[in-house]
Coordinates of all heavy atoms in Angstrom, one line a residue:
M1 N 1.3 -14.9 -23.6 CA -0.1 -14.9 -23.3 C -0.4 -13.9 -22.3 O 0.2 -13.8 -21.2 CB -0.5 -16.3 -22.9 CG -1.9 -16.5 -22.5 SD -2.2 -18.2 -22.0 CE -3.7 -17.9 -21.2
S2 N -1.5 -13.1 -22.5 CA -1.9 -12.1 -21.5 C -3.1 -12.7 -20.7 O -3.9 -13.5 -21.2 CB -2.4 -10.9 -22.2 OG -1.3 -10.2 -22.8
L3 N -3.1 -12.3 -19.5 CA -4.2 -12.6 -18.5 C -4.8 -11.3 -18.0 O -4.2 -10.3 -18.0 CB -3.7 -13.5 -17.4 CG -2.9 -14.7 -17.7 CD1 -2.3 -15.3 -16.5 CD2 -3.9 -15.7 -18.3
F4 N -6.1 -11.4 -17.5 CA -6.7 -10.2 -17.0 C -6.3 -10.1 -15.5 O -6.1 -11.0 -14.8 CB -8.2 -10.3 -17.0 CG -8.8 -10.1 -18.4 CD1 -9.4 -11.1 -19.1 CD2 -8.6 -8.9 -19.0 CE1 -10.0 -10.9 -20.3 CE2 -9.1 -8.7 -20.3 CZ -9.8 -9.7 -21.0
Y5 N -6.2 -8.8 -15.1 CA -5.9 -8.4 -13.7 C -6.9 -7.3 -13.3 O -7.1 -6.4 -14.1 CB -4.4 -7.9 -13.6 CG -3.5 -9.1 -13.8 CD1 -3.1 -9.4 -15.1 CD2 -3.1 -9.9 -12.8 CE1 -2.2 -10.5 -15.3 CE2 -2.3 -11.0 -13.0 CZ -1.9 -11.3 -14.3 OH -1.1 -12.4 -14.5
A6 N -7.4 -7.4 -12.1 CA -8.2 -6.3 -11.5 C -7.4 -5.4 -10.7 O -6.7 -5.8 -9.8 CB -9.3 -6.9 -10.7
I7 N -7.4 -4.1 -11.0 CA -6.7 -3.1 -10.3 C -7.7 -2.2 -9.6 O -8.6 -1.6 -10.2 CB -5.8 -2.2 -11.2 CG1 -4.8 -3.1 -12.0 CG2 -5.1 -1.1 -10.5 CD1 -4.1 -2.4 -13.2
V8 N -7.7 -2.2 -8.3 CA -8.6 -1.4 -7.5 C -7.8 -0.4 -6.7 O -7.0 -0.7 -5.9 CB -9.4 -2.3 -6.5 CG1 -10.4 -1.5 -5.7 CG2 -10.2 -3.4 -7.3
G9 N -8.2 0.9 -7.0 CA -7.6 2.0 -6.2 C -8.6 2.5 -5.3 O -9.7 2.7 -5.6
E10 N -8.2 2.7 -4.0 CA -9.0 3.3 -3.0 C -8.5 4.7 -2.7 O -7.4 4.9 -2.4 CB -8.9 2.5 -1.7 CG -9.4 1.1 -1.9 CD -9.2 0.2 -0.6 OE1 -9.3 0.8 0.5 OE2 -9.1 -1.0 -0.8
D11 N -9.5 5.7 -2.9 CA -9.1 7.1 -2.7 C -8.9 7.5 -1.3 O -9.4 6.9 -0.4 CB -10.3 7.9 -3.3 CG -10.3 8.0 -4.8 OD1 -9.8 7.1 -5.4 OD2 -10.9 9.0 -5.3
V12 N -8.0 8.5 -1.2 CA -7.9 9.2 0.1 C -9.2 10.0 0.3 O -9.9 10.3 -0.7 CB -6.7 10.2 0.1 CG1 -5.4 9.4 -0.1 CG2 -6.8 11.3 -0.9
P13 N -9.5 10.5 1.5 CA -10.6 11.3 1.7 C -10.5 12.6 0.9 O -9.4 13.1 0.7 CB -10.6 11.6 3.2 CG -9.9 10.5 3.8 CD -8.8 10.1 2.8
D14 N -11.6 13.2 0.4 CA -11.6 14.4 -0.3 C -10.6 14.5 -1.5 O -9.9 15.4 -1.6 CB -11.3 15.6 0.7 CG -12.4 15.7 1.8 OD1 -13.6 15.5 1.5 OD2 -11.9 15.8 3.0
S15 N -10.7 13.4 -2.3 CA -9.8 13.3 -3.4 C -10.2 14.0 -4.7 O -9.4 14.0 -5.6 CB -9.6 11.8 -3.7 OG -10.8 11.2 -4.1
L16 N -11.4 14.5 -4.7 CA -11.9 15.0 -6.0 C -11.0 16.0 -6.7 O -10.8 15.9 -7.9 CB -13.3 15.6 -5.8 CG -14.0 16.0 -7.1 CD1 -14.2 14.8 -8.0 CD2 -15.4 16.6 -6.8
E17 N -10.5 17.0 -6.0 CA -9.6 18.0 -6.6 C -8.4 17.4 -7.2 O -8.0 17.7 -8.4 CB -9.2 19.1 -5.6 CG -8.6 20.3 -6.2 CD -8.4 21.4 -5.2 OE1 -9.3 21.8 -4.5 OE2 -7.2 21.9 -5.2
K18 N -7.7 16.5 -6.5 CA -6.5 15.8 -7.0 C -6.9 14.9 -8.2 O -6.1 14.8 -9.1 CB -5.9 14.9 -5.9 CG -5.3 15.7 -4.7 CD -4.8 14.7 -3.7 CE -4.2 15.5 -2.5 NZ -3.8 14.6 -1.4
R19 N -8.0 14.3 -8.1 CA -8.5 13.4 -9.2 C -8.7 14.2 -10.5 O -8.3 13.8 -11.5 CB -9.9 12.8 -8.7 CG -10.1 11.4 -9.1 CD -11.5 11.0 -8.5 NE -11.4 9.7 -8.0 CZ -11.3 8.6 -8.7 NH1 -11.4 8.6 -10.0 NH2 -11.2 7.4 -8.1
L20 N -9.4 15.3 -10.4 CA -9.7 16.1 -11.5 C -8.4 16.6 -12.2 O -8.2 16.7 -13.4 CB -10.6 17.3 -11.2 CG -12.0 16.9 -10.8 CD1 -12.8 18.1 -10.3 CD2 -12.7 16.2 -11.9
A21 N -7.4 17.0 -11.3 CA -6.1 17.5 -11.9 C -5.3 16.4 -12.6 O -4.7 16.7 -13.7 CB -5.3 18.0 -10.7
A22 N -5.4 15.2 -12.1 CA -4.6 14.1 -12.8 C -5.4 13.3 -13.8 O -4.9 12.4 -14.5 CB -4.1 13.1 -11.7
R23 N -6.7 13.6 -13.9 CA -7.6 12.8 -14.8 C -7.1 12.7 -16.3 O -7.2 11.6 -16.8 CB -9.0 13.3 -14.7 CG -10.0 12.4 -15.4 CD -11.5 12.8 -15.1 NE -12.4 11.9 -15.6 CZ -13.0 11.9 -16.7 NH1 -12.8 13.0 -17.5 NH2 -13.9 11.0 -17.1
P24 N -6.7 13.8 -16.9 CA -6.3 13.7 -18.3 C -5.2 12.7 -18.5 O -5.2 11.9 -19.5 CB -5.9 15.1 -18.7 CG -6.6 16.0 -17.7 CD -6.7 15.2 -16.4
Q25 N -4.2 12.7 -17.7 CA -3.1 11.7 -17.8 C -3.5 10.3 -17.5 O -3.1 9.3 -18.1 CB -1.9 12.1 -16.9 CG -1.3 13.4 -17.2 CD -2.0 14.6 -16.5 OE1 -3.0 14.4 -15.8 NE2 -1.6 15.8 -16.9
H26 N -4.4 10.2 -16.5 CA -5.0 8.8 -16.1 C -5.7 8.3 -17.3 O -5.5 7.1 -17.7 CB -5.9 9.0 -14.9 CG -6.6 7.8 -14.5 ND1 -6.0 6.8 -13.8 CD2 -7.9 7.5 -14.6 CE1 -6.9 5.8 -13.6 NE2 -8.1 6.2 -14.0
L27 N -6.6 9.1 -17.9 CA -7.4 8.6 -19.1 C -6.5 8.3 -20.3 O -6.8 7.4 -21.0 CB -8.5 9.6 -19.4 CG -9.6 9.8 -18.5 CD1 -10.6 10.9 -18.9 CD2 -10.4 8.5 -18.3
E28 N -5.5 9.0 -20.5 CA -4.6 8.8 -21.6 C -4.0 7.4 -21.5 O -3.9 6.7 -22.5 CB -3.4 9.8 -21.6 CG -2.5 9.8 -22.7 CD -1.5 10.9 -22.7 OE1 -1.9 12.1 -22.5 OE2 -0.3 10.6 -22.8
R29 N -3.6 6.9 -20.3 CA -3.1 5.6 -20.1 C -4.1 4.5 -20.4 O -3.8 3.5 -21.0 CB -2.5 5.4 -18.7 CG -1.3 6.3 -18.5 CD -0.7 6.2 -17.1 NE 0.1 5.0 -17.1 CZ 0.0 4.0 -16.2 NH1 -1.0 4.1 -15.3 NH2 0.8 3.0 -16.2
L30 N -5.4 4.8 -19.9 CA -6.4 3.9 -20.2 C -6.8 3.7 -21.6 O -7.0 2.6 -22.2 CB -7.7 4.3 -19.4 CG -7.6 4.2 -17.9 CD1 -8.8 4.7 -17.2 CD2 -7.4 2.7 -17.4
K31 N -6.8 4.9 -22.3 CA -7.0 4.8 -23.8 C -6.0 4.1 -24.5 O -6.2 3.4 -25.5 CB -7.2 6.3 -24.3 CG -8.5 6.9 -23.9 CD -8.6 8.4 -24.3 CE -9.9 9.0 -23.8 NZ -10.0 10.4 -24.1
A32 N -4.7 4.2 -24.0 CA -3.6 3.4 -24.7 C -3.9 1.9 -24.5 O -3.7 1.1 -25.5 CB -2.3 3.8 -24.1
L33 N -4.3 1.5 -23.3 CA -4.7 0.1 -23.1 C -5.8 -0.3 -24.0 O -5.8 -1.4 -24.6 CB -5.1 -0.2 -21.6 CG -4.0 -0.3 -20.6 CD1 -4.7 -0.5 -19.2 CD2 -3.0 -1.4 -20.9
Q34 N -6.8 0.5 -24.1 CA -7.9 0.3 -25.0 C -7.5 0.1 -26.5 O -8.0 -0.8 -27.1 CB -9.0 1.4 -24.9 CG -10.3 1.1 -25.6 CD -11.3 2.2 -25.4 OE1 -10.9 3.4 -25.2 NE2 -12.5 1.9 -25.5
S35 N -6.7 1.0 -26.9 CA -6.3 0.9 -28.3 C -5.4 -0.3 -28.6 O -5.4 -0.8 -29.8 CB -5.5 2.2 -28.7 OG -4.2 2.2 -28.1
E36 N -4.8 -0.9 -27.6 CA -4.0 -2.1 -27.7 C -4.9 -3.3 -27.6 O -4.4 -4.5 -27.6 CB -2.9 -2.1 -26.7 CG -1.9 -1.1 -26.8 CD -1.0 -0.9 -25.6 OE1 -1.1 -1.7 -24.7 OE2 -0.2 0.1 -25.6
G37 N -6.2 -3.1 -27.3 CA -7.1 -4.2 -27.1 C -7.0 -5.0 -25.8 O -7.4 -6.1 -25.7
R38 N -6.4 -4.3 -24.8 CA -6.1 -4.9 -23.5 C -7.1 -4.5 -22.4 O -7.1 -5.1 -21.3 CB -4.7 -4.6 -23.1 CG -3.7 -5.2 -24.1 CD -2.3 -4.7 -23.8 NE -1.9 -4.7 -22.4 CZ -1.0 -4.0 -21.9 NH1 -0.3 -3.1 -22.6 NH2 -0.7 -4.1 -20.6
L39 N -7.9 -3.5 -22.6 CA -8.8 -3.0 -21.6 C -10.2 -3.7 -21.6 O -10.8 -3.6 -22.6 CB -9.0 -1.5 -21.7 CG -9.8 -0.8 -20.6 CD1 -9.1 -0.9 -19.3 CD2 -10.0 0.7 -21.0
L40 N -10.5 -4.3 -20.5 CA -11.8 -5.0 -20.4 C -12.9 -3.9 -19.9 O -13.9 -3.8 -20.5 CB -11.8 -6.2 -19.5 CG -13.1 -7.0 -19.4 CD1 -13.5 -7.6 -20.7 CD2 -12.9 -8.1 -18.4
L41 N -12.5 -3.2 -18.9 CA -13.4 -2.2 -18.3 C -12.6 -1.3 -17.4 O -11.6 -1.7 -16.8 CB -14.6 -2.8 -17.6 CG -14.4 -3.6 -16.4 CD1 -14.4 -2.8 -15.1 CD2 -15.5 -4.7 -16.3
A42 N -13.1 -0.1 -17.2 CA -12.5 0.9 -16.2 C -13.6 1.9 -15.8 O -14.4 2.3 -16.6 CB -11.3 1.6 -16.9
G43 N -13.5 2.3 -14.6 CA -14.4 3.3 -14.1 C -14.3 3.6 -12.6 O -13.7 2.7 -11.9
P44 N -14.8 4.7 -12.1 CA -14.7 5.0 -10.7 C -15.9 4.6 -9.9 O -17.0 4.2 -10.5 CB -14.7 6.6 -10.8 CG -15.6 6.9 -11.9 CD -15.3 5.8 -13.0
F45 N -15.8 4.5 -8.6 CA -16.8 4.2 -7.7 C -17.4 5.6 -7.1 O -16.7 6.2 -6.3 CB -16.3 3.4 -6.5 CG -15.7 2.1 -6.9 CD1 -14.4 1.8 -6.5 CD2 -16.4 1.1 -7.6 CE1 -13.8 0.6 -6.9 CE2 -15.8 -0.1 -7.9 CZ -14.5 -0.3 -7.6
P46 N -18.6 6.0 -7.5 CA -19.1 7.2 -6.9 C -19.3 7.1 -5.4 O -19.7 6.0 -4.9 CB -20.5 7.4 -7.6 CG -20.4 6.6 -8.9 CD -19.5 5.4 -8.6
T47 N -19.0 8.1 -4.7 CA -19.2 8.1 -3.2 C -20.6 7.9 -2.8 O -20.9 7.4 -1.8 CB -18.5 9.3 -2.6 OG1 -17.2 9.4 -3.0 CG2 -18.6 9.3 -1.1
I48 N -21.5 8.5 -3.6 CA -22.9 8.4 -3.3 C -23.6 7.6 -4.4 O -23.0 7.4 -5.5 CB -23.6 9.8 -3.2 CG1 -23.4 10.6 -4.4 CG2 -23.0 10.5 -2.0 CD1 -24.2 11.9 -4.4
D49 N -24.9 7.2 -4.2 CA -25.6 6.4 -5.1 C -26.1 7.2 -6.3 O -27.3 7.6 -6.3 CB -26.8 5.7 -4.4 CG -27.4 4.6 -5.2 OD1 -26.9 4.2 -6.3 OD2 -28.5 4.2 -4.8
S50 N -25.2 7.6 -7.2 CA -25.6 8.5 -8.3 C -24.5 8.3 -9.4 O -23.3 8.2 -9.1 CB -25.6 9.9 -7.8 OG -25.7 10.8 -8.9
P51 N -25.0 8.3 -10.6 CA -24.0 8.2 -11.7 C -23.1 9.5 -11.8 O -22.0 9.5 -12.3 CB -24.8 8.0 -13.0 CG -26.1 8.6 -12.6 CD -26.3 8.3 -11.1
D52 N -23.6 10.6 -11.3 CA -22.8 11.9 -11.2 C -22.8 12.4 -9.8 O -23.8 13.1 -9.4 CB -23.4 12.9 -12.2 CG -22.6 14.2 -12.2 OD1 -21.6 14.3 -11.6 OD2 -23.1 15.2 -12.9
P53 N -21.8 12.0 -9.0 CA -21.9 12.4 -7.6 C -21.5 13.8 -7.3 O -21.6 14.3 -6.2 CB -20.8 11.5 -7.0 CG -19.8 11.3 -8.1 CD -20.7 11.2 -9.4
G54 N -21.2 14.6 -8.3 CA -20.8 16.0 -8.1 C -19.7 16.2 -7.1 O -18.7 15.4 -7.1
P55 N -19.9 17.1 -6.2 CA -18.8 17.4 -5.2 C -18.6 16.3 -4.2 O -17.5 16.3 -3.6 CB -19.3 18.7 -4.5 CG -20.7 18.8 -4.8 CD -21.0 18.1 -6.1
A56 N -19.5 15.3 -4.2 CA -19.3 14.2 -3.3 C -18.1 13.3 -3.7 O -17.4 12.7 -3.0 CB -20.5 13.3 -3.2
G57 N -17.8 13.4 -5.0 CA -16.7 12.7 -5.6 C -16.7 11.2 -5.7 O -17.8 10.6 -5.8
F58 N -15.6 10.6 -5.6 CA -15.5 9.1 -5.8 C -14.6 8.5 -4.7 O -13.8 9.2 -4.0 CB -14.8 8.9 -7.1 CG -15.6 9.4 -8.3 CD1 -15.3 10.7 -8.8 CD2 -16.6 8.7 -8.9 CE1 -16.0 11.3 -9.8 CE2 -17.3 9.3 -9.9 CZ -17.0 10.5 -10.4
S59 N -14.9 7.2 -4.4 CA -14.2 6.5 -3.3 C -13.1 5.6 -3.9 O -12.3 5.1 -3.1 CB -15.2 5.7 -2.5 OG -15.7 4.7 -3.3
G60 N -13.0 5.5 -5.2 CA -11.9 4.7 -5.8 C -12.2 4.4 -7.2 O -13.1 5.0 -7.8
S61 N -11.5 3.4 -7.8 CA -11.6 3.1 -9.2 C -11.4 1.6 -9.4 O -10.6 0.9 -8.6 CB -10.6 3.8 -10.0 OG -10.7 5.2 -9.9
L62 N -11.9 1.0 -10.5 CA -11.7 -0.3 -10.9 C -11.2 -0.3 -12.3 O -11.8 0.3 -13.2 CB -12.9 -1.2 -10.8 CG -12.9 -2.6 -11.4 CD1 -11.9 -3.5 -10.7 CD2 -14.3 -3.2 -11.4
I63 N -10.1 -1.0 -12.6 CA -9.6 -1.2 -13.9 C -9.4 -2.7 -14.1 O -8.8 -3.4 -13.2 CB -8.3 -0.5 -14.2 CG1 -8.4 1.0 -14.0 CG2 -7.7 -0.8 -15.5 CD1 -7.2 1.8 -13.8
V64 N -9.9 -3.3 -15.2 CA -9.7 -4.7 -15.5 C -9.0 -4.7 -16.9 O -9.6 -4.3 -17.8 CB -10.9 -5.6 -15.5 CG1 -10.6 -7.0 -15.8 CG2 -11.6 -5.5 -14.1
A65 N -7.8 -5.2 -16.9 CA -7.0 -5.1 -18.2 C -6.1 -6.3 -18.3 O -5.8 -7.0 -17.3 CB -6.2 -3.8 -18.3
A66 N -5.7 -6.6 -19.5 CA -4.8 -7.7 -19.8 C -3.3 -7.3 -19.7 O -2.9 -6.3 -20.2 CB -5.0 -8.3 -21.1
F67 N -2.5 -8.1 -19.0 CA -1.1 -7.9 -18.8 C -0.4 -9.3 -19.0 O -1.1 -10.3 -18.8 CB -0.7 -7.3 -17.5 CG -1.3 -5.9 -17.3 CD1 -2.5 -5.7 -16.7 CD2 -0.5 -4.8 -17.7 CE1 -3.0 -4.4 -16.6 CE2 -1.0 -3.5 -17.6 CZ -2.3 -3.3 -17.0
T68 N 0.9 -9.3 -19.2 CA 1.6 -10.6 -19.4 C 1.7 -11.4 -18.1 O 1.7 -12.6 -18.1 CB 3.0 -10.3 -19.9 OG1 3.7 -9.4 -19.1 CG2 3.0 -9.8 -21.3
D69 N 1.7 -10.6 -16.9 CA 1.8 -11.3 -15.7 C 1.5 -10.3 -14.5 O 1.3 -9.1 -14.8 CB 3.2 -12.0 -15.4 CG 4.4 -11.0 -15.6 OD1 4.2 -9.8 -15.3 OD2 5.4 -11.5 -16.0
L70 N 1.4 -10.8 -13.3 CA 1.1 -10.0 -12.2 C 2.1 -8.9 -12.0 O 1.7 -7.7 -11.6 CB 1.0 -10.9 -10.9 CG 0.6 -10.2 -9.6 CD1 -0.8 -9.5 -9.8 CD2 0.5 -11.2 -8.5
A71 N 3.4 -9.1 -12.2 CA 4.4 -8.1 -12.0 C 4.2 -6.9 -13.0 O 4.3 -5.8 -12.6 CB 5.8 -8.7 -12.2
A72 N 3.8 -7.3 -14.2 CA 3.6 -6.2 -15.2 C 2.3 -5.4 -14.8 O 2.3 -4.2 -15.0 CB 3.4 -6.8 -16.6
A73 N 1.3 -6.1 -14.3 CA 0.1 -5.4 -13.9 C 0.4 -4.4 -12.7 O -0.1 -3.3 -12.7 CB -1.0 -6.4 -13.5
R74 N 1.2 -4.9 -11.8 CA 1.5 -4.1 -10.6 C 2.4 -2.9 -11.0 O 2.2 -1.8 -10.5 CB 2.3 -4.9 -9.6 CG 1.4 -5.8 -8.8 CD 2.1 -6.4 -7.6 NE 1.1 -7.2 -6.8 CZ 1.4 -8.4 -6.3 NH1 2.5 -8.9 -6.4 NH2 0.4 -9.0 -5.6
A75 N 3.3 -3.1 -11.9 CA 4.2 -2.0 -12.4 C 3.3 -0.9 -13.1 O 3.5 0.3 -12.9 CB 5.3 -2.5 -13.4
W76 N 2.4 -1.4 -13.9 CA 1.5 -0.4 -14.6 C 0.7 0.3 -13.6 O 0.5 1.6 -13.7 CB 0.6 -1.2 -15.6 CG -0.2 -0.3 -16.5 CD1 0.1 0.2 -17.7 CD2 -1.5 0.3 -16.2 NE1 -0.8 1.0 -18.2 CE2 -1.8 1.1 -17.3 CE3 -2.4 0.3 -15.1 CZ2 -3.0 1.9 -17.3 CZ3 -3.5 1.0 -15.1 CH2 -3.9 1.8 -16.2
A77 N 0.1 -0.4 -12.6 CA -0.7 0.3 -11.6 C 0.1 1.3 -10.7 O -0.3 2.4 -10.4 CB -1.3 -0.8 -10.6
D78 N 1.4 0.9 -10.4 CA 2.2 1.8 -9.6 C 2.6 3.1 -10.4 O 2.9 4.1 -9.7 CB 3.5 1.1 -9.3 CG 3.3 0.0 -8.2 OD1 2.3 0.0 -7.5 OD2 4.2 -0.9 -8.1
A79 N 2.5 3.0 -11.7 CA 2.9 4.2 -12.5 C 1.7 5.1 -12.8 O 1.8 6.1 -13.6 CB 3.6 3.8 -13.8
D80 N 0.5 4.8 -12.3 CA -0.7 5.5 -12.6 C -0.6 7.0 -12.1 O -0.1 7.2 -10.9 CB -1.9 4.8 -11.9 CG -3.2 5.4 -12.4 OD1 -3.5 6.6 -12.2 OD2 -4.0 4.6 -13.0
P81 N -1.0 7.9 -12.8 CA -0.9 9.3 -12.4 C -1.7 9.6 -11.1 O -1.4 10.5 -10.4 CB -1.5 10.1 -13.6 CG -1.2 9.3 -14.8 CD -1.4 7.9 -14.3
Y82 N -2.8 8.8 -10.9 CA -3.5 9.0 -9.6 C -2.7 8.6 -8.4 O -2.8 9.1 -7.3 CB -4.8 8.1 -9.6 CG -6.0 8.7 -10.4 CD1 -7.2 8.1 -10.6 CD2 -5.9 10.0 -11.0 CE1 -8.2 8.6 -11.3 CE2 -6.9 10.5 -11.7 CZ -8.1 9.8 -11.8 OH -9.1 10.4 -12.5
V83 N -1.8 7.7 -8.6 CA -0.8 7.3 -7.5 C 0.1 8.5 -7.2 O 0.3 8.9 -6.1 CB 0.0 6.0 -7.8 CG1 1.1 5.7 -6.8 CG2 -1.0 4.8 -7.9
A84 N 0.7 9.0 -8.3 CA 1.7 10.1 -8.2 C 1.0 11.3 -7.6 O 1.6 12.1 -6.8 CB 2.3 10.4 -9.5
A85 N -0.3 11.6 -7.9 CA -1.0 12.8 -7.5 C -1.5 12.6 -6.0 O -2.1 13.6 -5.5 CB -2.1 13.1 -8.4
G86 N -1.4 11.4 -5.5 CA -1.9 11.2 -4.1 C -3.4 11.0 -4.0 O -4.0 11.2 -3.0
V87 N -4.1 10.6 -5.2 CA -5.5 10.3 -5.2 C -5.8 9.0 -4.4 O -6.7 8.9 -3.6 CB -6.0 10.2 -6.6 CG1 -7.5 9.7 -6.6 CG2 -5.9 11.5 -7.3
Y88 N -5.0 8.0 -4.7 CA -5.2 6.7 -4.1 C -4.4 6.5 -2.8 O -3.2 6.9 -2.7 CB -4.7 5.5 -5.0 CG -5.5 5.4 -6.3 CD1 -4.9 4.9 -7.4 CD2 -6.8 5.7 -6.3 CE1 -5.6 4.7 -8.6 CE2 -7.6 5.5 -7.5 CZ -6.9 5.0 -8.6 OH -7.6 4.9 -9.8
R89 N -5.0 6.0 -1.7 CA -4.3 5.7 -0.5 C -3.8 4.2 -0.5 O -2.9 3.9 0.2 CB -5.2 5.9 0.7 CG -6.4 5.0 0.8 CD -7.2 5.3 2.1 NE -8.5 4.6 2.1 CZ -8.7 3.4 2.6 NH1 -7.6 2.8 3.2 NH2 -9.8 2.8 2.6
R90 N -4.5 3.4 -1.4 CA -4.1 2.0 -1.5 C -4.5 1.5 -2.9 O -5.5 1.9 -3.4 CB -4.7 1.2 -0.4 CG -4.2 -0.2 -0.3 CD -4.8 -0.9 0.9 NE -6.2 -1.2 0.8 CZ -6.7 -2.4 0.8 NH1 -5.9 -3.5 1.0 NH2 -8.0 -2.6 0.7
V91 N -3.7 0.6 -3.4 CA -4.0 0.0 -4.7 C -3.7 -1.5 -4.6 O -2.7 -1.9 -4.1 CB -3.1 0.6 -5.9 CG1 -3.4 -0.1 -7.2 CG2 -3.3 2.1 -6.0
S92 N -4.7 -2.3 -5.0 CA -4.5 -3.7 -5.0 C -4.6 -4.2 -6.4 O -5.3 -3.6 -7.3 CB -5.6 -4.4 -4.1 OG -6.9 -4.2 -4.7
V93 N -3.8 -5.2 -6.7 CA -3.8 -5.8 -8.1 C -3.9 -7.3 -7.9 O -3.2 -8.0 -7.1 CB -2.5 -5.5 -8.8 CG1 -2.5 -6.1 -10.2 CG2 -2.2 -4.0 -8.8
N94 N -5.0 -7.9 -8.5 CA -5.2 -9.3 -8.4 C -5.6 -10.0 -9.7 O -6.2 -9.3 -10.6 CB -6.4 -9.6 -7.5 CG -6.1 -9.2 -6.0 OD1 -5.4 -9.8 -5.4 ND2 -6.7 -8.1 -5.6
P95 N -5.2 -11.2 -9.9 CA -5.6 -11.9 -11.1 C -7.1 -11.9 -11.2 O -7.8 -12.0 -10.2 CB -5.0 -13.3 -11.0 CG -3.9 -13.2 -10.0 CD -4.3 -12.1 -9.1
F96 N -7.6 -11.9 -12.4 CA -9.1 -11.8 -12.7 C -9.4 -12.8 -13.7 O -8.8 -12.8 -14.8 CB -9.5 -10.4 -13.1 CG -11.0 -10.2 -13.4 CD1 -11.9 -10.0 -12.3 CD2 -11.4 -10.3 -14.7 CE1 -13.2 -9.8 -12.6 CE2 -12.8 -10.1 -14.9 CZ -13.7 -9.9 -13.9
K97 N -10.4 -13.6 -13.5 CA -10.9 -14.6 -14.5 C -12.2 -14.2 -15.0 O -13.2 -14.2 -14.2 CB -11.0 -16.0 -13.9 CG -11.4 -17.0 -14.9 CD -11.5 -18.4 -14.3 CE -12.0 -19.4 -15.3 NZ -12.1 -20.7 -14.8
K98 N -12.3 -13.8 -16.2 CA -13.6 -13.4 -16.8 C -14.4 -14.6 -17.2 O -13.9 -15.5 -17.9 CB -13.3 -12.6 -18.1 CG -14.6 -12.1 -18.8 CD -14.3 -11.3 -20.0 CE -15.5 -10.7 -20.6 NZ -16.2 -11.5 -21.5
V99 N -15.6 -14.7 -16.6 CA -16.5 -15.8 -16.9 C -17.7 -15.4 -17.8 O -18.0 -16.1 -18.7 CB -17.0 -16.4 -15.5 CG1 -18.0 -17.6 -15.8 CG2 -15.8 -16.9 -14.7
L100 N -18.3 -14.4 -17.4 CA -19.5 -13.9 -18.2 C -19.3 -12.4 -18.5 O -18.8 -11.7 -17.7 CB -20.8 -14.1 -17.5 CG -21.2 -15.6 -17.3 CD1 -22.3 -15.7 -16.3 CD2 -21.5 -16.3 -18.6
P101 N -19.9 -11.8 -19.5 CA -20.5 -12.5 -20.6 C -19.4 -13.1 -21.5 O -18.3 -12.6 -21.5 CB -21.3 -11.4 -21.3 CG -20.5 -10.1 -21.0 CD -20.0 -10.4 -19.6

C-alpha cells in the first residue's frame, strides 16, 4: 500500500542558475512518478508574489507523491538532481494525509 508524502526543498540563496541547469533531470523524475500514477502535485515557490518571478527565482519546491513508506520517500528525495546540483540547502520529507478535494 502506498501513502502520500510531502517533500519540501528549500533553496540556497541565488539558486536560479543551478535550478535551470538541473531542471530537465528533475522534471524527468517527476514525470516518471506521474506516469506511474503516484504524483499528486509538484511545483516551486516563487521568491516574489508572481507566477513568473523571472530573475528573482524560487525559494524552494513542494512535491506530494505516493511511496511505500517514509524511507522510500526519503531515498527518492535524496536522489533528486536538485540535491546533487546544490539547489536545495535542506529537504524535509513528511507523511501527508490528503483530505480535500
Side-chain angles (χ1 to χ4, degrees):
M1 177 177 162
S2 292
L3 303 171
F4 284 117
Y5 294 87
I7 300 168
V8 178
E10 297 176 30
D11 283 24
V12 299
D14 301 314
S15 63
L16 187 57
E17 190 173 312
K18 292 177 182 178
R19 217 177 224 285
L20 293 174
R23 188 169 189 265
Q25 298 84 5
H26 174 77
L27 288 179
E28 186 177 309
R29 294 179 82 234
L30 291 173
K31 288 177 184 176
L33 284 179
Q34 184 177 28
S35 70
E36 296 166 6
R38 297 171 46 203
L39 183 64
L40 183 63
L41 64 90
F45 302 122
T47 301
I48 60 174
D49 190 14
S50 171
D52 181 6
F58 301 92
S59 63
S61 302
L62 169 65
I63 300 163
V64 180
F67 294 92
T68 55
D69 56 31
L70 184 57
R74 282 189 176 140
W76 189 91
D78 288 345
D80 192 298
Y82 282 177
V83 172
V87 173
Y88 294 149
R89 67 179 170 91
R90 188 169 72 116
V91 177
S92 63
V93 181
N94 293 290
F96 179 83
K97 180 179 177 182
K98 183 179 185 278
V99 175
L100 294 171

